[in-house]
Amino acid sequence: MLRTSGRPFPALWLARLLVFLTASALLTEDALCQQGAVTASHPLHAVVVNAGRAMVERYVHRGLYYGHHNPGTETTPWYNSTQLVGLGWDPMYVRKQGDGGGSDAVLLIRRRKGEPEAAEGAKLGCHLLYFHGNNQNLMGATETLADFEREVGCEVWAVEYTGYGPMDGGPRGVPSEQALASDAMAAASWLLSHAGRDVPVFLYGHSLGAALAIEAAASIAARPTREGDARLAGLVLEAPFLTAIKTVVDYDDEDEFGAALQSLGSQFPMFNSTIAGLTSSFLEPIDKFENEDRVAALPPSLPVLVAHATNDKVIPHDHGEALFELITSDSKTSVFLESEAHALHSDEGRIGEQFFHALRDFVSENAGAEAEAVEEEAKAGNFDWEGLGRRQRPKISTARGAARGQQRSELWESLLLGGRSVARANSISSVAIPEDLRIRPVGEMLSQLNG
């Protein structure tokens, strides 16, 4: 509830005003465009473009930080740090350096010493820092962390993001690219400073977490080496994406973006000339986590593992393949498995076993530990072990590429036209978007307001 002159001013009236002004600007500009009276330099053009961009950016935020906007679920439960202690984890707050946005400290957890599981995470003498996905928080990730302890043999740490919890008496904050990047860097920097001289540390990111792992690794590589620090031994990216918006529509692909605009224009014929004139510059300024550019800052000496399910229903598999191609590491490995799982590490069947075999091999090789036991275990698995560690990017068939482009086109149309959750299956949100978060066509909103 907003207040003006000491009296309550309902937010609904403000929303009505904004909708009316936006619709009026669109209608006026489009009418003038058809008369040749409005050019790209016309003031109304900027109004319309900025209003549309703000609307899209709002819904990108809702999808990208889905767990923040939808707390209290099975994967994003309300919690406080003392509950983590009850589950055998040690919470600690690490102070962030500079103005990174969000709070001034970040929550980091590890298994409490003396717990039976702590021994599982000490087999290889390494540390693994885990960055979770957009629809999870630390409390919802504790089982995942236990799996990594048991399956990988490193001491596992995990970091919480601004806006995701816990509820320890202060505000959770609002997530942003800057705030989360600051969270990631603070956690990684602290661990490298405290793990021990030359002790191997791995950064592991899943989905949204992959973007944070990339950012932390790139930032660490850019700073001077510090005496006594641990060694950044490897980077693991599970189900990564090129950029946030490109998981929905590839605005750099002329054909795909053009088809999306054509579909949108057919739904709003009165705005058609405005929509048809949009270019990639409409979306590019508001895109988030541009991993396709950021991986260029990764040092060639850093070993990288990219893992992705070939039929991932959340982030298209070709994002993982393309990112693998862009990474210039001297030692990079791709693990692309036939599965629909967005989280290969959560698969309880054969696919999960294959994934963890490949992960153990990557970690043991780059941690400097003896890998004979891991290799023997892999051989006993009776699967194509050699095929898991592919050193070259597999080709994407024309049919698959066309189908993926069509899927993204449908996602884009649904995002802007108010489609239901079925079209969000491959998007940046891993869970269906609730009805109250749908974008509704302007005509629909106006009819409801006038009614």
Side-chain angles (χ1 to χ4, degrees):
M1 188 77 73
L2 303 176
R3 289 185 177 273
T4 177
S5 302
R7 296 180 59 188
F9 183 76
L12 177 59
W13 286 105
L14 179 59
R16 288 177 176 175
L17 178 61
L18 290 175
V19 169
F20 174 76
L21 290 176
T22 302
S24 298
L26 284 167
L27 288 168
T28 302
E29 188 221 13
D30 216 69
L32 292 174
C33 277
Q34 293 170 14
Q35 298 169 17
V38 173
T39 65
S41 61
H42 193 284
L44 281 177
H45 181 85
V47 170
V48 172
V49 170
N50 288 332
R53 188 178 283 151
M55 181 179 287
V56 173
E57 188 169 23
R58 173 176 176 248
Y59 282 89
V60 168
H61 194 279
R62 293 270 180 131
L64 188 57
Y65 308 116
Y66 190 87
H68 165 75
H69 291 285
N70 297 271
T73 69
E74 182 179 355
T75 56
T76 59
W78 297 107
Y79 75 98
N80 57 54
S81 55
T82 58
Q83 289 175 282
L84 293 168
V85 175
L87 294 174
W89 296 91
D90 268 338
M92 63 188 75
Y93 283 92
V94 175
R95 185 166 296 280
K96 296 196 287 188
Q97 300 297 320
D99 182 17
S103 61
D104 60 356
V106 61
L107 175 62
L108 192 62
I109 65 170
R110 70 169 181 181
R111 180 69 69 179
R112 189 166 60 244
K113 298 297 184 182
E115 295 287 333
E117 295 85 354
E120 294 290 327
K123 290 178 180 178
L124 298 181
C126 54
H127 297 263
L128 185 147
L129 177 57
Y130 179 77
F131 299 92
H132 62 71
N134 75 327
N135 189 32
Q136 195 176 44
N137 62 19
L138 282 187
M139 190 56 130
T142 52
E143 290 186 13
T144 296
L145 301 180
D147 288 340
F148 277 105
E149 284 179 317
R150 182 173 58 255
E151 299 287 350
V152 181
C154 287
E155 183 172 353
V156 176
W157 302 70
V159 56
E160 189 60 286
Y161 307 151
T162 298
Y164 278 72
M167 303 300 293
D168 283 343
R172 297 192 308 151
V174 177
S176 68
E177 183 174 7
Q178 180 186 20
L180 268 62
S182 178
D183 295 339
M185 185 55 187
S189 181
W190 186 91
L191 183 55
L192 286 168
S193 298
H194 291 79
R197 184 187 181 95
D198 292 330
V199 171
V201 172
F202 294 87
L203 304 184
Y204 187 114
H206 172 240
S207 194
L208 173 60
L212 302 180
I214 291 171
E215 178 59 36
S219 298
I220 289 166
R223 74 182 189 184
T225 303
R226 298 186 300 196
E227 185 69 24
D229 268 8
R231 172 173 60 92
L232 184 56
L235 174 65
V236 182
L237 308 175
E238 184 187 359
F241 53 86
L242 291 170
T243 78
I245 289 181
K246 283 186 179 179
T247 62
V248 178
V249 59
D250 186 353
Y251 50 79
D252 284 335
D253 185 319
E254 225 174 272
D255 293 335
E256 184 177 325
F257 190 51
L261 293 179
Q262 186 176 9
S263 175
L264 184 61
S266 66
Q267 299 293 326
F268 300 111
M270 71 287 290
F271 307 145
N272 191 49
S273 62
T274 301
I275 293 171
L278 294 177
T279 65
S280 61
S281 63
F282 174 69
L283 292 175
E284 191 170 7
I286 59 174
D287 207 350
K288 310 297 180 187
F289 297 106
E290 296 174 285
N291 300 320
E292 61 183 359
D293 296 328
R294 194 59 174 137
V295 293
L298 296 175
S301 59
L302 179 65
V304 181
L305 171 66
V306 177
H308 217 133
T310 56
N311 299 306
D312 189 335
K313 296 300 183 183
V314 178
I315 295 175
H317 166 242
D318 53 355
H319 279 241
E321 290 185 322
L323 207 61
F324 179 77
E325 184 74 9
L326 291 170
I327 292 170
T328 58
S329 170
D330 297 330
S331 177
K332 62 179 182 179
T333 303
S334 63
V335 181
F336 299 132
L337 299 176
E338 293 291 335
S339 170
E340 295 185 354
H342 180 50
L344 292 169
H345 64 261
S346 294
D347 188 289
E348 297 181 354
R350 182 181 178 83
I351 295 299
E353 292 176 1
Q354 292 177 337
F355 168 73
F356 275 116
H357 276 303
L359 180 59
R360 281 196 298 269
D361 185 56
F362 176 81
V363 169
S364 62
E365 177 183 345
N366 293 293
E370 294 297 327
E372 286 82 357
V374 176
E375 292 174 357
E376 288 301 319
E377 188 177 357
K379 291 176 183 177
N382 194 29
F383 59 86
D384 183 14
W385 173 243
E386 295 299 326
L388 289 177
R390 292 195 289 270
R391 298 285 171 172
Q392 295 183 355
R393 176 190 175 213
K395 301 296 182 183
I396 308 174
S397 69
T398 303
R400 172 175 288 176
R404 187 66 73 189
Q406 175 63 25
Q407 288 173 348
R408 279 201 290 262
S409 177
E410 292 170 357
L411 288 166
W412 171 247
E413 180 178 334
S414 175
L415 176 66
L416 293 184
L417 302 184
R420 290 183 174 273
S421 59
V422 62
R424 295 289 297 175
N426 287 354
S427 73
I428 49 180
S429 174
S430 56
V431 177
I433 294 295
E435 185 74 14
D436 63 333
L437 297 186
R438 289 194 307 120
I439 292 181
R440 294 170 294 165
V442 173
E444 180 184 330
M445 289 190 284
L446 287 175
S447 64
Q448 288 193 359
L449 292 173
N450 292 332

